[in-house]
C-alpha cells in the first residue's frame, strides 16, 4: 500500500501557514481544523518547516505566555522529513518511529501534494488487517 493510495481517499489538502504568523495564530488554525501540525511555507511556496503541538508546548514551557506573540519561525522544526507518493506505508511507519514524529508532508518535484499523519497510517493498517482476517475466515469456512 502506497502513500498515493492513502491520498486518493483522504485527499490532498494541506493546511499551511507562513513563518511570520504568531504562535497564537497557529494555535487558532490548529484548533479550527482539529489537526496537530501545520506545514510552514516560505515566500516561494517551498516547505521551510513544520510546527506541531509539541513545538508549541515546548515554547510555552520555556517562555510561558510571551511565546504566543512570537513568530512561529522561532520554534518550528526546520529540517523536515518528507515522503513521496510512491513510498509505502511501511516506509512511513519506519520514518515516524525513527524520527519520533507523527506527520510527514508528501512532496512531488518540490511541490507539496499532501500530508500523512500517524492516524492515517493506523487507519490504513487496521483496514488492511480486517481485510486479511476476513479473507482467512472465508478460506477456513470454505476449506
Ligand atoms: P509530531 O509528533 O508530528 O507532533 O511532532 C513532534 C516533533 O517533530 C515536533 O518538534 C515537530 O516539529 C517535529 N516534526 C513533525 N513532523 C516532522 C517531520 N515530518 N519532519 C521533521 N520533524 C517533524
Amino acid at each position: 500500500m502506497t502513500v498515493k493510495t492513502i491520498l486518493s481517499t483522504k485527499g490532498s489538502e494541506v493546511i499551511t501557514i507562513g513563518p511570520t504568523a504568531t504562535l497564537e495564530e497557529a494555535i487558532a488554525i490548529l484548533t479550527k481544523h482539529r489537526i496537530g501540525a501545520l506545514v510552514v511555507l516560505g515566500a516561494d511556496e517551498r516547505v521551510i518547516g513544520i510546527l506541531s503541538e509539541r513545538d508549541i508546548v515546548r515554547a510555552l514551557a520555556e517562555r510561558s505566555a510571551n511565546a504566543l506573540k512570537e513568530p512561529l519561525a522561532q520554534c518550528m522544526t526546520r529540517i523536515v522529513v518528507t515522503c513521496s507518493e510512491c513510498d509505502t506505508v511501511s516506509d512511513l511507519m519506519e520514518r515516524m518511529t525513527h524520527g519520533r514524529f507523527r506527520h510527514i508532508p508528501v512532496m512531488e518535484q518540490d511541490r507539496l501534494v499532501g500530508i500523512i499523519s500517524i492516524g492515517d497510517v493506523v487507519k490504513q493498517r487496521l483496514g488492511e488487517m480486517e481485510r486479511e482476517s476476513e479473507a482467512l475466515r472465508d478460506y477456513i469456512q470454505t476449506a
Side-chain angles (χ1 to χ4, degrees), residues 21-126:
T22 62
L23 270 201
E24 201 167 41
E25 288 165 335
I27 291 169
I29 297 172
L30 290 171
T31 308
K32 178 175 169 212
H33 294 278
R34 299 174 176 218
I35 54 174
L38 293 166
V39 175
V40 186
L41 295 185
D44 51 0
E45 299 286 295
R46 280 186 177 257
V47 173
I48 58 165
I50 188 160
L51 180 83
S52 99
E53 293 157 324
R54 288 207 191 158
D55 302 312
I56 296 170
V57 169
R58 196 181 315 118
L60 288 173
E62 287 169 2
R63 300 186 290 287
S64 67
N66 297 328
L68 293 172
K69 303 287 178 200
E70 293 172 2
L72 63 84
Q74 283 188 28
C75 67
M76 69 185 187
T77 300
R78 288 172 188 273
I79 298 172
V80 183
V81 175
T82 62
C83 67
S84 71
E85 286 182 319
C86 59
D87 282 321
T88 64
V89 172
S90 314
D91 292 333
L92 296 199
M93 289 196 293
E94 204 176 298
R95 262 172 248 183
M96 284 179 176
T97 307
H98 184 252
R100 293 171 182 256
F101 46 68
R102 297 165 292 179
H103 302 88
I104 302 191
V106 187
M107 308 293 294
E108 283 303 321
Q109 276 130 31
D110 280 346
R111 209 168 49 86
L112 181 64
V113 296
I115 188 162
I116 304 288
S117 75
I118 202 160
D120 299 322
V121 170
V122 170
K123 190 172 161 194
Q124 188 280 330
R125 276 300 291 143
L126 274 178

